[in-house]
Amino acid sequence: MASLADFEKHRPQLWAVAYRLTGSVADAEDALQEAWLRWQLLPEEEAANPAAYLTTVVSRICLDQLGSARSRRETYVGPWLPEPVLGAVPGPEDRVTLDESIGLALLTVLEKLTPAERTAFILHDVFSVPFTEIAEIVGRTPASVRQLASRARKRVRAESPRCSVDRAAHRRTVDAFLAAVMNGDFESLLSVLDPDVVWRSDGGGNVSAARRPICGSENVARFAQGIVRRFDPLSMRVVVRDVNGAPGIVSVDLAHGRVLVIAFAVHEGRITEVYAVANPEKLRHVDPAGL
């Protein structure tokens, strides 16, 4: 039987692959659980290359998940956003700059790709998996997989928002946004928002949230201030925390246990995109008491 030690050794990398492929913490955990069950049944003599075998198994499971998820998301109430992750996120390597491969901006764009395109792009461009191995996962030829990755890459480049990769600059912008919102300083808030900023809210029909993207700095500024006014300041706690590898905001209603996680795309000191996840089903892994 394949060893638990080998599986645990590769778990962080496997989770990193699964989360980027699915955009879901729950689905990533399910994929790893299923991979572990298959790994246990694998004869020891067939477990010579745990990393390659497990990456293939996890990727195939996620590919199946993506196919079924597409139909579910067609009936989703309002914009669908990936499940945010707080704190450190496993990745293919240690990075000095913000890891754009885990950001909600990229994960949101990836939703527009086919499951095969997304798999080819993530495995090759982020994790450097050879096209020959990806071909076995998606059931295509290596040449076809190369084309899938190329199409995905072009779409990602065309549709990803402008983003800074400087962590300090990103943090300063988020701090300025938070201070302006909390102080009710409308002019300062406008100054930190790009004129064409877009705010997307994901409530999933479970909590109150905008069901269409909000566009333009003035509209976004008014909407952000409206959110603050709905909270009781005595039971509201707002903190800056890493959200998918970049500084973001977590707001907790201590009286009711409600959580709001906000991620940002920042370019040249201004916010270009806002991703606000309020759907409690997507925030089950966030512990309000630990913030």
Side-chain angles (χ1 to χ4, degrees), residues 22 47-48 51 88 99 104 111 122 128 160 170 181 203 205-206 231 234 244-245 259 265-266 270 277:
T22 63
D99 184 356
L104 290 195
E111 287 298 309
I122 290 295
S128 302
S160 292
H170 186 109
V181 169
N206 296 311
F231 280 87
L234 296 178
N244 286 60
V259 179
V266 174
R270 287 190 169 186
V277 181

Side-chain angles (χ1 to χ4, degrees), residues 85-89 97-99 102-103 167 170 242-248:
V85 179
L86 304 188
V89 181
T97 57
L98 296 181
D99 184 356
I102 202 69
R167 181 180 178 84
H170 186 109
D242 269 13
V243 178
N244 286 60

Side-chain angles (χ1 to χ4, degrees), residues 19-97:
Y19 176 69
R20 287 167 173 80
L21 286 177
T22 63
S24 165
V25 174
D27 287 348
E29 295 292 349
D30 287 346
L32 262 63
Q33 180 63 26
E34 177 62 26
W36 163 241
L37 295 176
R38 297 185 192 184
W39 177 249
Q40 288 184 93
L41 300 176
L42 189 71
E44 190 172 352
E45 61 271 16
E46 296 181 25
N49 190 340
Y53 174 86
L54 289 168
T55 298
T56 296
V57 169
V58 165
S59 299
R60 284 175 175 164
I61 294 169
C62 291
L63 187 61
D64 290 340
Q65 289 175 331
L66 285 171
S68 60
R70 287 174 73 88
S71 60
R72 294 197 308 270
R73 289 169 193 171
E74 288 177 358
T75 59
Y76 195 80
V77 178
W80 186 95
L81 294 176
E83 294 180 16
V85 179
L86 304 188
V89 181
E93 59 182 89
D94 293 331
R95 301 177 186 230
V96 176
T97 57

